[in-house]
Amino acid sequence: MCALFFLAKGNLNAQHQKIDSLQAVIKALNAESSSASLDDTIRIGTLISLSKEYVGLRDYGKAIKYASIAKIISEKLVAALDISVSKIWLANAYQSIAYTFENQENYANALSQYKKELTLREETGNNYKTSLCLNKIGELYNYQDNFATSMDYYYRALKLIDEVNYKDEVLTIYNNLGIT
């Protein structure tokens, strides 16, 4: 029992060290730039990582805060540069916000954010990421006992993932179809 306590405490300390490191990166990046540029992708990625760390700690308020900042910077990047990579980062920010809501079992808000992510994934043409998003939306509908809609999203995900030949994801989607 004592060993389990120290293991958990060590893991918590490691998470806090990672959070401290990510916050230091954000602080350094904020000091360097004020206008939208591709360098903002580092800031966005760091904010998303920070958000995920806070989800792991179940500090959902901070998780949403950092994911929302990433979304705002991504939106500015899309407006300033309007290139595919900026839309990918915006999709990642929506995914991070959705993931946080999902962990809170706030499925309505999670669905809203995942659908925004889906629109951007479809625009950027990455069938792998699009299929992952479709699968996630299917899972959320399944959690809400909306099985017909859930299966529709799973089948759409399956069609796309077959095109890019990711066998592990095909198995995941078939598993989801089997439990629906």
Side-chain angles (χ1 to χ4, degrees), residues 41 44-49 51-52 66-68 70-71 74 84-100 113-114 116-118 120-121 124 126 129-130 132-133:
T41 60
I44 296 163
T46 304
L47 288 162
I48 289 170
S49 294
S51 174
K52 288 180 181 177
Y66 288 110
S68 295
K71 180 183 77 84
S74 298
S84 183
V85 71
S86 57
K87 290 180 181 180
I88 290 169
W89 283 107
L90 182 55
N92 291 344
Y94 281 126
Q95 179 187 47
S96 189
I97 295 168
Y99 177 72
T100 304
Q113 298 301 308
Y114 279 127
K116 291 175 184 178
E117 175 198 356
L118 178 61
L120 292 163
R121 298 287 186 209
T124 58
N126 183 327
K129 290 284 194 173
T130 302
L132 293 178
C133 187

Side-chain angles (χ1 to χ4, degrees), residues 34-87:
S34 61
S35 62
S37 70
L38 287 178
D39 292 338
D40 283 335
T41 60
I42 297 168
R43 183 180 293 114
I44 296 163
T46 304
L47 288 162
I48 289 170
S49 294
L50 196 51
S51 174
K52 288 180 181 177
E53 289 298 316
Y54 278 114
V55 168
L57 292 172
R58 299 190 195 298
D59 189 340
Y60 300 119
K62 286 185 181 173
I64 290 288
K65 172 187 170 186
Y66 288 110
S68 295
I69 294 169
K71 180 183 77 84
I72 290 165
I73 295 169
S74 298
E75 288 171 337
K76 289 178 183 176
L77 199 59
V78 168
L81 302 176
D82 194 31
I83 56 175
S84 183
V85 71
S86 57
K87 290 180 181 180

Side-chain angles (χ1 to χ4, degrees), residues 12 32 45 54 60 75 89 105 111 119 129 152 177 179:
L12 188 62
E32 289 180 16
Y54 278 114
Y60 300 119
E75 288 171 337
W89 283 107
E105 297 181 4
L111 272 170
T119 299
K129 290 284 194 173
D152 177 53
L177 280 165
I179 57 177

Side-chain angles (χ1 to χ4, degrees), residues 94-95 97-118 132-151 153-154 176 179-180:
Y94 281 126
Q95 179 187 47
I97 295 168
Y99 177 72
T100 304
F101 283 131
E102 179 183 356
N103 275 273
Q104 292 176 293
E105 297 181 4
N106 184 341
Y107 300 134
N109 283 336
L111 272 170
S112 172
Q113 298 301 308
Y114 279 127
K115 286 180 179 181
K116 291 175 184 178
E117 175 198 356
L118 178 61
L132 293 178
C133 187
L134 287 164
N135 186 54
K136 184 52 77 175
I137 292 170
E139 287 176 1
L140 291 176
Y141 278 115
N142 191 35
Y143 296 157
Q144 298 176 81
D145 296 332
N146 188 338
F147 303 119
T149 304
S150 176
M151 290 183 72
Y153 278 94
Y154 289 147
N176 287 343
I179 57 177
T180 297

